[in-house]
Amino acid sequence: MERHTRWKRRDWIRGWPLLAALTLCAFCLCDAAEPADILKTLEFHNLPDGVTKTTGFCAQRRSSNSPDVAYRVSKDAQLSAPTKMLYPGSAFPEDFSILTTVKAKKGSQSFLMSLYNEQGIQQIGVELGRSPVLLYEDHTGKPGPEDYPLFRGINLSDGKWHRIAISVQKKTVTLILDCKKKLTRALDRSNHPIIDTNGIIVFGTRSEEH
């Protein structure tokens, strides 16, 4: 099986132990949008099947004297919601950022989040592990899988906490790791890309084509 391809069938078969605090922040060129909280959209606070609450990145913060809250997601969790819940009444922004604090199982290679269109084709995906990848496909099918931004030399599945920021601006993608390391890659998308919001957003798994 090729690593990068179009994933059309919704067979929720790939999951992974995960500790995460995830927020998707979007910014339009002409108007800054409110951050879209994926954990809230997927109702993590209600602890759906496969999700448990645990201690997060900081065991005791000076400002609150209490630990950060994080969620452990098991391989049995099936977490999804309509994409429209992220930006009700508005289009998905052309330029956006994904911010997360995450601890992946050591040696794992899987998806943090995926966004599918109405036909079940993956439009956006964040793949963690060694050499993380941003999968992105706009309404014209650009870029192709062979041109997905790949960040070599970074290992996000070392069993440690990491703060990750992925910023998509025009035709570049920048990854900032732990507020220190910064890498920028080209994103060969259309001049005015469209991301379909009639599909679903999925956390921690992706559908797989056989």
Side-chain angles (χ1 to χ4, degrees):
M1 181 186 297
E2 293 184 0
R3 182 181 178 186
H4 305 311
T5 185
R6 294 188 180 186
W7 305 92
K8 297 182 180 180
R9 291 186 54 192
R10 295 192 177 102
D11 301 326
W12 313 122
I13 63 174
R14 180 181 284 193
W16 51 299
L18 173 74
L19 296 175
L22 182 90
T23 303
L24 177 68
C25 299
F27 300 94
C28 299
L29 293 176
C30 59
D31 185 25
E34 288 293 323
D37 189 336
I38 293 178
L39 296 185
K40 182 177 180 180
T41 299
L42 296 175
E43 300 184 344
F44 270 59
H45 57 282
N46 290 333
L47 300 181
D49 290 344
V51 177
T52 55
K53 189 178 291 188
T54 187
T55 301
F57 177 76
C58 188
Q60 185 173 359
R61 287 200 175 273
R62 190 177 303 173
S63 58
S64 62
N65 292 320
S66 60
D68 288 344
V69 173
Y71 298 95
R72 186 186 298 273
V73 183
S74 76
K75 64 181 181 180
D76 300 319
Q78 297 183 11
L79 307 170
S80 64
T83 306
K84 284 185 179 296
M85 293 181 64
L86 294 176
Y87 297 100
S90 63
F92 194 91
E94 289 186 10
D95 296 336
F96 60 92
S97 296
I98 298 171
L99 308 176
T100 182
T101 302
V102 64
K103 179 182 178 182
K105 183 180 179 181
K106 190 173 183 178
S108 63
Q109 188 81 28
S110 193
F111 274 75
L112 179 63
M113 58 159 285
S114 298
L115 193 152
Y116 295 88
N117 67 11
E118 193 171 16
Q119 288 72 43
I121 296 175
Q122 188 176 20
Q123 302 176 103
I124 298 174
V126 178
E127 184 177 2
L128 302 181
R130 291 184 178 273
S131 301
V133 182
L134 174 72
L135 281 81
Y136 183 100
E137 183 174 313
D138 65 20
H139 65 296
T140 67
K142 295 182 65 176
E146 66 278 3
D147 293 322
Y148 290 155
L150 176 67
F151 297 91
R152 298 186 185 277
I154 291 180
N155 181 12
L156 299 180
S157 60
D158 56 3
K160 300 177 182 179
W161 282 103
H162 291 291
R163 289 174 172 168
I164 306 165
I166 299 173
S167 177
V168 175
Q169 296 288 328
K170 296 183 179 179
K171 294 194 177 185
T172 64
V173 179
T174 299
L175 185 150
I176 301 175
L177 178 63
D178 297 325
C179 305
K180 298 176 182 178
K181 193 166 186 176
K182 181 177 180 180
L183 299 173
T184 298
R185 299 288 183 264
L187 180 64
D188 185 24
R189 59 177 180 168
S190 305
N191 290 330
H192 300 288
I194 297 174
I195 296 297
D196 182 10
T197 59
N198 292 316
I200 60 172
I201 184 168
V202 181
F203 189 94
T205 60
R206 76 176 176 188
S207 58
E208 192 145 344
E209 183 180 56
H210 300 282

